[in-house]
Amino acid sequence: MSSAPVLKVEGLVTELRSGGGSVRAVDDVSFEINAGETLGLVGESGSGKSMTCLSILRLIPSSVGRVTGGRVVLEGTDLMTLDEAQMRHHRGRRISIILQDPMTSLNPVLRIGDQVGEAIKLYRGLEGPALRDAIVDGLRAMRIPAPEQRVSAYPHELSGGMRQRVGAAIAMAGPPAVLIADEPTTALDATVQSQLLALLKDVQRETGLAILFVTHDFGIVATICDRVAVMYAGRIVELAPVAELFANPRHPYTEALLRSVPDLDVDVERLYSIEGQPPALDDLPAGCSFAPRCAYARDVCRERGPPRIEAGPLHHASCWKLAGYGD
Amino acid sequence: MLRFTLSRLLQAAVTLWMVATIVFFLARLTGDPVALLAGENATAEYEAEMRRRFGLDLPLWQQYLVFLKQLSMGDLGTSIVSGEPAMMQVLERWPATLEIAVAGVIITLSLALPIGVYAAANRGSWLDTFARAFAVLGQAVPAFWVGLIFILVFAVHLGWLPAGGRGTIWHVILPAITTGWFAVAGIMRLTRSSMLEVLASEYVKLARAKGLPARTVIWKHAFRNATIPVITFTALVVLAQFLTGSIVAETVFSYPGVGSLVIDALRKRDFPQLQAAVFFLSMLYVFVNLGIDLVYGFLDPRIRS
């Protein structure tokens, strides 16, 4: 394992078209992932998690928006400086993605073998029987039973869990250095979910894969992640090693998120939930985006954006409270 | 599958019976054919004799029963005007209609599909804008007018193509484009919107994330999915419309197909001829419908199983 991070995202900004103007769906996002490491990316729906993933892959349709700033350095190459053909060479091959919904992410009219095979053929140049063997091996590596038969199946003939394994087989065809898992278990039931997580962990142990794992489930974060970044309104508000974040959350939003995870051992009258709604991106408050919902907010929070505070080794959070409200 | 097929066949039979009934009664609302055939100076005896010969002297409900009885045996009667079996006339003229239909579908699809796909893949480009404007124009302008303009431009002024009649492949072109003009616009729009929907899908997102070239993403992953609604429309509206509704083009270009036969029979109140022609066209329509379901199964494996 090299000491340099496999994936380094610096100051990533993605603007989406909105009415006449534009909104920042990803705002100055920075993080690193090392080989063999899993970074969790958590936040509510609309906080910019998926947009961050698509921005890294440069897959935001031009009609929707575009990346306007920052660097995405994959194994020493800044993806943002590449032309489309060069970028295509990295997609799937060195950095791949598993999408959220296995029911819609496979092409309904193409056979499983074809969908896995076209990736393997593209990355490794295999043809004929060698390609067929590689497809079967790829499916078997993702613990798909009877892979020889599955090759000629269509997606609708498989269960959700099996389809997501096919998605994993496609994602691992490179094999890539970085895997982006965009809520891959959200649509699955609990048993299937834990099987898939175990599978990804094993694959990571064998290959030294770096994983960016997007989720809103802290249970999954605890299971699979080494470090975790918390996103709110397009920004990373706190980033820390998992144990540290659970034990010592510094940002009020993280604190509130953790409080809203129900504890099965404690009986409560009402489950905790954060007051208010996440802000609309085209109507962000001045200052800290979380201020309107924050119990600790003071005047300065509503006026100026919060500074980033180093809260410990590998732990930082952006909050005026941690900065003593600027006094 | 067998159950499905049988139930569809039964539906088809009911549809055809309803069509036959409607045509039978509607035709008789147009007036008395004998008055046209016999001429103004005919004697009452002569007219009565003709009525008896064609079975028009019976009460309407009896005429209907006779008609149904013959129909159930596959007999669509004899033309009042020509005295020949009505179905024979239809079958004689059918190849001419088929020519226009096939040429029309080919011209339509070879224009509409590529333009629709290109417009969707390059949303907002000049071709997209042009294509949409063209689509509105195509759907706003009536076919008979397009046909007349084509005759004026290509036959009269330029002299490139014949103004009417049947014979060579050149005779087919103008009627085919006239029939297809409207459909090009529709299919293009449908292809475009269907492609846009598919291009926004998760599996297309994944195909892009795999690093596949744009060409592969569009034609292999998107196009086949996008054609499913297009096929329905093409088959139901276009193919059926071409096969059955070449009435306008055949009339404008004096093309001797089933469409112009319908108009002819209507004009002369040739009931058996009209019934045979309309029944034949309806039958085609119903069978095209049945065929679509099979094509669907081929395109979409989810329907097959």
Side-chain angles (χ1 to χ4, degrees):
Chain A
M1 259 183 248
S2 62
S3 55
V6 192
L7 180 71
K8 189 170 177 166
V9 176
E10 284 178 352
L12 188 67
V13 178
T14 300
E15 297 189 0
L16 302 186
R17 288 167 194 236
S18 165
S22 65
V23 298
R24 288 195 165 193
V26 179
D27 192 1
D28 195 18
V29 163
S30 303
F31 58 78
E32 303 174 356
I33 314 178
N34 297 309
E37 187 190 33
T38 301
L39 175 70
L41 192 58
V42 300
E44 292 164 271
S45 311
S47 59
K49 306 185 301 281
S50 289
M51 278 299 155
T52 304
C53 300
L54 291 180
S55 302
I56 292 170
L57 287 164
R58 285 182 42 190
L59 281 176
I60 310 254
S62 57
S63 56
V64 174
R66 64 192 187 94
V67 176
T68 53
R71 304 191 332 134
V72 174
V73 183
L74 174 71
E75 300 176 297
T77 308
D78 182 1
L79 300 181
M80 296 300 145
T81 62
L82 302 180
D83 65 28
E84 179 56 27
Q86 291 168 323
M87 183 63 218
R88 217 158 51 220
H89 188 78
H90 287 80
R91 270 189 213 126
R93 190 179 271 112
R94 300 307 299 159
I95 181 163
S96 63
I97 188 166
I98 302 182
L99 296 173
Q100 177 171 354
D101 185 0
M103 296 318 217
T104 57
S105 58
L106 294 176
N107 193 324
V109 305
L110 298 177
R111 293 177 195 277
I112 299 301
D114 193 13
Q115 302 194 47
V116 177
E118 70 176 355
I120 296 177
K121 187 177 170 187
L122 186 67
Y123 311 145
R124 299 193 238 152
L126 298 179
E127 304 245 3
L131 178 61
R132 201 189 149 78
D133 289 347
I135 296 168
V136 172
D137 289 347
L139 294 177
R140 188 178 291 120
M142 295 305 124
R143 295 177 200 156
I144 293 170
E148 293 86 356
Q149 278 91 61
R150 293 287 179 271
V151 166
S152 52
Y154 287 97
H156 72 275
E157 295 168 329
L158 304 186
S159 68
M162 278 307 135
R163 292 192 213 186
Q164 205 56 309
R165 282 158 194 263
V166 172
I170 292 171
M172 293 308 297
V178 178
L179 171 68
I180 298 173
D182 187 2
E183 306 203 39
T185 59
T186 307
L188 306 177
D189 62 53
T191 343
V192 181
Q193 183 170 319
S194 61
Q195 286 169 357
L196 193 78
L197 291 178
L199 173 69
L200 287 178
K201 260 183 143 170
D202 289 349
V203 169
Q204 183 176 46
R205 204 171 298 130
E206 287 159 24
T207 60
L209 184 71
I211 302 180
L212 176 62
F213 201 104
V214 177
T215 181
H216 51 245
D217 183 338
F218 275 105
I220 291 175
V221 170
T223 313
I224 196 168
C225 298
D226 300 304
R227 289 184 299 134
V228 57
V230 180
M231 272 192 102
Y232 188 79
R235 290 177 156 264
I236 290 182
V237 295
E238 182 162 12
L239 198 157
V242 169
E244 163 84 3
L245 189 95
F246 282 136
N248 187 20
R250 301 303 302 274
H251 196 282
Y253 178 61
T254 316
E255 202 180 297
L257 269 187
L258 288 172
R259 269 184 70 194
S260 57
V261 178
D263 187 339
L264 291 179
D265 299 328
V266 182
D267 278 326
V268 288
E269 285 284 306
R270 264 180 83 89
L271 292 175
Y272 175 80
S273 73
I274 307 174
E275 289 287 315
Q277 295 290 322
L281 288 173
D282 57 359
D283 190 24
L284 284 185
C288 175
S289 304
F290 188 61
R293 304 169 76 185
C294 180
Y296 310 104
R298 295 192 188 167
D299 288 345
V300 65
C301 303
R302 288 179 273 268
E303 287 156 11
R304 280 182 291 152
R308 178 173 140 168
I309 303 298
E310 299 301 324
L314 300 171
H315 188 174
H316 67 74
S318 301
C319 179
W320 277 116
K321 178 173 164 249
L322 304 179
Y325 296 104
D327 295 335
Chain B
M1 190 66 199
L2 182 70
R3 213 191 142 95
F4 172 75
T5 313
L6 284 177
S7 86
R8 287 302 312 268
L9 279 172
L10 188 71
Q11 277 177 25
V14 172
T15 308
L16 287 176
W17 166 70
M18 285 167 70
V19 167
T21 305
I22 291 170
V23 176
F24 177 88
F25 287 106
L26 274 186
R28 277 153 182 79
L29 286 177
T30 58
D32 185 0
V34 171
L36 274 182
L37 267 180
E40 285 173 22
N41 303 324
T43 60
E45 290 82 33
Y46 180 64
E47 289 193 353
E49 160 61 23
M50 283 190 93
R51 274 201 190 88
R52 199 159 35 249
R53 183 139 45 98
F54 301 132
L56 293 169
D57 55 335
L58 299 171
L60 198 55
W61 65 271
Q62 278 188 18
Q63 289 185 37
Y64 177 63
L65 287 183
V66 170
F67 167 69
L68 278 189
K69 193 181 154 206
Q70 287 182 334
L71 185 67
S72 67
M73 294 183 294
D75 179 8
L76 279 148
T78 308
S79 165
I80 295 179
V81 177
S82 68
E84 289 177 19
M87 205 56 196
M88 211 173 80
Q89 285 254 25
V90 173
L91 292 176
E92 261 170 31
R93 288 190 173 221
W94 159 239
T97 297
L98 191 65
E99 273 167 23
I100 298 186
V102 170
V105 168
I106 291 173
I107 291 175
T108 305
L109 290 182
S110 55
L111 279 175
L113 290 182
I115 298 177
V117 169
Y118 184 89
N122 301 277
R123 197 179 181 177
S125 67
W126 67 267
L127 194 113
D128 182 25
T129 314
F130 174 78
R132 271 184 293 168
F134 176 80
V136 172
L137 186 75
Q139 294 190 316
V141 177
F144 78 88
W145 183 82
V146 173
L148 292 176
I149 295 297
F150 279 168
I151 291 178
L152 195 65
V153 174
F154 294 102
V156 179
H157 287 307
L158 297 172
W160 290 352
L161 294 164
R166 181 176 178 228
T168 66
I169 191 161
W170 306 111
H171 288 86
V172 183
I173 295 177
L174 286 184
I177 297 179
T178 303
T179 322
W181 180 265
F182 181 85
V184 170
I187 295 182
M188 194 173 72
R189 274 169 79 132
L190 191 68
T191 307
R192 179 182 179 274
S193 64
S194 180
M195 273 298 280
L196 282 178
E197 198 181 310
V198 171
L199 285 174
S201 72
E202 291 290 295
Y203 54 85
V204 166
K205 191 199 274 181
L206 185 66
R208 291 209 171 102
K210 279 174 170 176
L212 296 170
R215 197 171 4 98
T216 313
V217 174
I218 287 171
W219 292 104
K220 181 176 175 186
H221 284 270
F223 183 66
R224 198 164 142 196
N225 281 288
T227 46
I228 292 170
V230 176
I231 291 287
T232 327
F233 183 77
T234 310
L236 280 186
V237 182
V238 182
L239 192 57
Q241 179 184 307
F242 282 12
L243 289 177
T244 62
S246 343
I247 291 176
V248 172
E250 285 179 15
T251 308
V252 171
F253 292 95
S254 335
Y255 210 84
V258 183
S260 50
L261 182 64
V262 169
I263 296 291
D264 232 35
L266 198 59
R267 224 179 258 146
K268 292 175 183 156
R269 294 182 197 150
D270 190 347
F271 298 160
Q273 191 60 70
L274 183 67
Q275 284 158 11
V278 174
F279 188 79
F280 178 77
L281 294 177
S282 313
M283 206 165 65
L284 279 178
Y285 197 101
V286 169
F287 281 128
V288 166
N289 253 323
L290 271 174
I292 299 321
D293 289 341
L294 300 178
V295 176
Y296 258 163
F298 171 72
L299 277 174
D300 192 339
R302 284 168 295 186
I303 295 171
R304 228 178 294 163
S305 52

